[in-house]
Structures are given as C-alpha cells and as structure tokens.
Amino acid sequence: MEGFKTIIEPFKIKMVESIKVTTEAQREKFLKDAHYNPFLLSSDQVMIDFLTDSGTSAMSANQWAGMMQGDESYAGSNSWLRMEKTIRDLTGFEYIFPTHQGRAAERILYGYLGGKGKVFISNTHFDTTRANIEFSGAEAIDIPIPEATHPALEHPFKGNLDTVKLEAAIKQHGAKNIGAVILTVTNNSGGGQPVSMKNTREISRICKKYKVLFVLDCCRVAENAYFIRHREKSFEKRSYKSIAQEMFSLTDGAIMSAKKDALVNMGGFLALKSKTHADACKNLLIITEGFTTYGGLSGRDMEAIAIGLEEVFEDDYLNYRISSTTFFGEHLKKLGVPLMTPIGGHAVYIDAKKFYNHIPVHKYPGQALVCELYLKGGIRSVEIGSVMFGKYDEKGKLIPAPMELVRLAIPRRVYTQSHIEFAIEVFEKLIKEKKSAKGLEIIEEPKFLRHFSAKFKR
Ligand SMILES: *Cc1c(COP(=O)(O)O)cnc(C)c1O
C-alpha cells in the first residue's frame, strides 16, 4: 500500500490449512529418513514449502464457487466456452486448445513443428520445453543476453533474448529449418527475470522478416507485465492486462502452464493464430489429450482457470505478489546473503557456492543449504546446481554445473508476510552457524533426473 512499509495481503482468509509445527530434533530425524533429499520428505514434515510455485496456488472464493458451476459435458461444455472466451480476449488468438498441463501443449506443438533437422531458439528453454523439442529429434538453442549469465549483475530485463545472435542463428541454420522462436516470460530457468516489450517487438520484427513462427511461453505473463509497467518507459499508466495483450499481439501463438499465473493447481492451453497449424494440433490433441472442448481437464478446472486468468491481472494482487518476493530478496541481500539479482518475480535464488564457500563443489554446497534450511526452519527449497545438472567424466569424477544455486519459489496467495519474515530470520540463524554446515556425498542415484530421488550421506 502506498505510503506504508508493511506489505499487506490483498485478501482475507476464509479457509485455513494447518501447518504442523515441528522441532529441530524431529526434523533431524525426518531428514535422515529422507536420506538428506527434501524431495523425499512428506509435505506434513514441512512447515514452509518453497519447493515450487507450480500448481501450488491458493484459489479464491470466486474460483471455488466456479468449481461448483463446472459443466462436465463431454462436448460444448459451458465452462470450456468461458475459458476459451477469456483466453481469446487475453491473447487475441483464434484457435485455442485446453490441455492437462503446459508440457502437454508443448508435446503437441513442438512434436508437430519439430523433428530431425529442425532448430528452436529461445531466451532459455524451460526443461520440459527442451525435453519435448529434443524428444522430437530437433535441437534447442538458448541465446539469452550476455548479462543473464552473471548472477550479481543488475539489469532491468535480464530475461531478454539476444536479438543480434537470433538473426545470425536464423541465417546460419536457414529460416525454413527453424521450428519456432520461443520467448519464455518471465524467464523461469534464468531466475524469473522479465523480458521487455522492446525486446519482444524486435524479436517479432526479425521473425516476420524471415517468416519464422514466434511462440510465447506465457506461464508468468502477468508477473512479466508488472515489470514492464514499473521498469519500461511509456508503460507506467497501462493496465497489466493491456501490457500482456500487447505482448501476445506480437507473436503467432502461445503455450501456457496454468499452474503458474492462472492461479490454479492443474491445467494448461495452446493458442494459435494460424488455421493450418491449429488443424494439425487439433488432431494430436484429440488422440492424446481429449476432445477439443476439454483436452484433459474437468469442466470445473476450466471454470477455475477462466476466473484465475482474470484475477491474476488485478493491480492489488500483482503489486502485492512482486513486492512480497522483492521484500524477501532485499532483506536477504541486506543480511549479506549472496543472491541472483535483480530479484525475479516468483522466486529468490541463493548463490550457495558463495554462501558456503568452505564446502567444495563435489560436496554439493547447494544441497547443504537446502538441508540446513529444512533443519533450522522447516523450509523446503530446491538445489539447482551440480545435484540437478552435474555429470561424470569417464573416470567417474564430477563435472560440476556452472552455478550452485538454491531456489526458494513462492506459491501464489498461500503464505503471509509473517511466513516471509520467519524465513528471513531462519537465514540470520544460518549465517551465524555457517561454519557448522556440512557437505554431502551421493550414496545412491538413478541414471536420469537424479535430484528427485538421489540419496545422500553427511
Ligand atoms: C512449468 C513450466 C512449463 C511446463 O508446464 P507444466 O504445467 O509443468 O507441464 C513450461 N514452461 C515454463 C516456463 C514453465 O515454468
């Protein structure tokens, strides 16, 4: 609120979900039983769950009321018509398909556009996006601006795509071999960093020039609109929704995981301008997701998505959402916690290699921080470093990831400011007890995606 320091949630609480308060001794045992991998904890052993912002939103009273009105008809469901109308109004696209989550829309579109010899270019492909493209046999290239790879460097739009490299890449591979240019807003893998309208316009111009398809990965398009209004000239007075609408108007289609900015727990969609592409995708949708008026979703889910997509653009909500994430990050920065800056929209990223500089990379400083956060504060977070991305050479020696980060992702409308303040206090404790933090060793791991199920010892 203007003129006040305290951030208040722009909502009251009608229904509560209790958190089981645990002691450090209890958490010590839970963590040991989970082999020092918080993915293996059960959720009731966690007090504050910052594992992900995906599918963890709290729905509003209006959304719950909408659930009761869900029309479960197989064809022509009214809930679908409502969801379709909301998305058409937001995106301006004619052809809209519901899917059970974002990656289903990705598999359909990139499976169709991809295949051997095709190349996709993005500011940063999200991991499911890259997986779907590579699974089709195509190649996925990331070209963020150079500033994006420096954790502590300040830049207002660190999510931008390097447009000089884009044009060069299109020329190098040949326009007809480009499956699509995909702009991820905000840039999830790059720390939730925003993309400017200016950058989007330039990408649009280049894509039009070479007749290349331009797709928006719009999971966090509302959060991105917040940054445009507050950081980019001439957008100060624009509504968040009109900023998002302008962004869509520069592209040829969009993919969304509704588990982010649609404020629901499950769902997604694919939206396209071209009838030719839409017809091809429609066939794949019916074969693998469901008929065009539900695509893997219940009527009640579609009702909740339609309402969530309206609520997410409200001024009070977005102002609170981003202020709260910024508050968290800025306070940690004041304490001297090394962070990725500027603070992004949905998460705070800690540079664990710097924070625990006494723990060598092969002892996983990120995982050590994840464990300490849980032990001292019951907070669950995720390592994004060598546990997630590390590989081994022929001799079995670790090839570390470029950065050792820990992500604290904030679920939407779930935790209050006092939870955030508590988390800041936990960090104060971690700073005092830094030297006692210990590294870990992996004792068991699967071949793929090892971070989900690896077992550690301390
Ligand atoms: C979550 C996410 C996806 C995938 O969506 P799911 O609903 O998890 O399948 C794709 N892109 C981005 C940027 C995401 O954050």
Side-chain angles (χ1 to χ4, degrees):
M1 270 204 329
E2 248 171 280
F4 290 92
K5 274 204 310 289
T6 309
I7 298 169
I8 62 163
E9 292 76 21
F11 48 80
K12 298 184 286 184
I13 296 165
K14 195 188 282 285
M15 194 188 284
V16 297
E17 200 177 343
S18 48
I19 292 173
K20 213 187 221 146
V21 177
T22 52
T23 63
E24 194 172 327
Q26 286 171 319
R27 292 192 295 270
E28 185 81 56
K29 178 172 184 318
F30 295 150
L31 190 62
K32 191 157 178 267
D33 292 346
H35 308 280
Y36 299 95
N37 184 350
F39 272 107
L40 303 177
L41 290 168
S42 72
S43 65
D44 58 1
Q45 294 169 336
V46 175
M47 293 206 290
I48 301 185
D49 208 343
F50 288 153
L51 188 66
T52 175
D53 67 319
S54 178
T56 51
S57 299
M59 294 209 298
S60 67
N62 272 333
Q63 284 176 297
W64 280 107
M67 297 283 279
M68 289 306 294
Q69 310 238 338
D71 175 358
E72 306 300 340
S73 306
Y74 193 96
S77 154
N78 279 308
S79 301
W80 161 245
L81 295 175
R82 183 170 182 191
M83 173 171 158
E84 185 187 39
K85 186 166 176 288
T86 308
I87 296 169
R88 194 172 282 144
D89 169 55
L90 175 64
T91 63
F93 296 125
E94 178 62 26
Y95 305 98
I96 296 152
F97 302 119
T99 59
H100 81 276
Q101 61 183 90
R103 70 196 69 183
E106 292 178 335
R107 184 179 45 77
I108 290 170
L109 184 64
Y110 304 138
Y112 157 64
L113 295 172
K116 215 171 155 44
K118 288 287 161 83
V119 176
F120 291 74
I121 306 170
S122 176
N123 47 347
T124 310
H125 292 87
F126 180 66
D127 53 14
T128 61
T129 318
R130 170 175 290 276
N132 273 295
I133 289 168
E134 290 177 350
F135 187 73
S136 83
E139 189 189 346
I141 305 174
D142 292 340
I143 46 166
I145 53 170
E147 288 87 344
T149 47
H150 300 279
L153 201 89
E154 294 280 338
H155 186 290
F157 292 104
K158 233 174 163 175
N160 283 355
L161 182 147
D162 189 325
T163 49
V164 175
K165 283 198 197 137
L166 172 64
E167 195 154 5
I170 294 175
K171 280 188 191 147
Q172 184 201 335
H173 296 281
K176 66 173 196 317
N177 297 319
I178 307 293
V181 171
I182 304 166
L183 189 63
T184 313
V185 297
T186 56
N187 192 2
N188 184 357
S189 314
Q193 299 295 334
V195 175
S196 71
M197 193 70 81
K198 189 171 167 224
N199 190 245
T200 313
R201 282 189 196 129
E202 180 60 10
I203 298 163
S204 180
R205 188 190 65 76
I206 296 170
C207 287
K208 281 203 179 82
K209 180 173 164 192
Y210 294 94
K211 297 196 171 61
V212 167
L213 199 74
F214 182 17
V215 178
L216 199 65
D217 181 340
C218 67
C219 298
R220 296 177 183 82
V221 70
E223 291 175 3
N224 199 84
Y226 174 93
F227 290 107
I228 290 182
R229 174 151 128 194
H230 296 270
R231 291 184 187 169
E232 195 164 350
K233 238 173 79 186
S234 83
F235 288 94
E236 304 84 356
K237 296 211 158 58
R238 291 273 299 275
S239 74
Y240 293 129
K241 188 170 160 187
S242 81
I243 293 172
Q245 283 168 325
E246 182 173 339
M247 198 161 232
F248 283 112
S249 76
L250 296 166
T251 69
D252 304 305
I255 273 180
M256 182 168 197
S257 164
K259 301 169 75 171
K260 294 27 178 279
D261 271 353
L263 301 173
V264 295
N265 306 112
M266 195 52 74
F269 66 79
L270 166 62
L272 291 166
K273 201 192 281 185
S274 138
K275 182 169 187 306
T276 316
H277 293 327
D279 284 345
C281 289
K282 189 154 117 185
N283 284 327
L284 295 171
L285 180 85
I286 297 172
I287 294 168
T288 60
E289 285 286 290
F291 187 57
T292 51
T293 62
Y294 70 89
L297 292 170
S298 304
R300 52 182 172 273
D301 291 337
M302 298 194 285
E303 200 72 34
I305 290 170
I307 300 167
L309 280 174
E310 304 267 355
E311 290 178 351
V312 77
F313 287 104
E314 284 168 13
D315 275 20
D316 290 342
Y317 165 72
L318 270 180
N319 293 346
Y320 141 80
R321 164 75 176 161
I322 309 293
S323 312
S324 175
T325 310
T326 308
F327 176 94
F328 189 18
E330 291 300 330
H331 277 74
L332 294 184
K333 204 154 92 184
K334 260 190 221 143
L335 293 176
V337 178
L339 298 176
M340 292 253 287
T341 57
I343 312 300
H346 67 286
V348 172
Y349 289 71
I350 319 287
D351 184 343
K353 194 154 43 175
K354 265 203 189 139
F355 190 73
Y356 286 146
N357 55 18
H358 63 289
I359 302 177
V361 169
H362 70 271
K363 291 273 189 161
Y364 306 109
Q367 193 68 16
L369 179 53
V370 163
C371 287
E372 289 300 307
L373 274 165
Y374 177 70
L375 285 175
K376 303 284 153 57
I379 297 170
R380 180 153 65 174
S381 55
V382 62
E383 192 257 18
I384 302 186
S386 293
V387 174
M388 196 179 269
F389 296 122
K391 298 206 161 67
Y392 297 108
D393 66 14
E394 318 84 68
K395 293 195 185 107
K397 199 168 159 267
L398 178 78
I399 308 167
M403 293 195 271
E404 304 295 331
L405 301 175
V406 167
R407 183 184 76 181
L408 297 119
I410 326 254
R412 294 170 182 79
R413 303 193 295 206
V414 170
Y415 294 108
T416 62
Q417 268 312 99
S418 64
H419 292 110
I420 300 284
E421 282 168 24
F422 170 78
I424 294 167
E425 218 182 311
V426 172
F427 269 94
E428 283 175 22
K429 199 169 159 71
L430 294 195
I431 292 169
K432 281 198 200 106
E433 298 168 13
K434 235 183 205 182
K435 290 287 168 256
S436 69
K438 289 197 263 313
L440 297 113
E441 236 174 87
I442 294 182
I443 51 170
E444 208 184 300
E445 63 183 298
K447 208 157 171 202
F448 294 105
L449 298 171
R450 65 177 183 169
H451 57 284
F452 288 125
S453 53
K455 295 179 179 171
F456 299 84
K457 87 167 195 240
R458 289 221 290 181

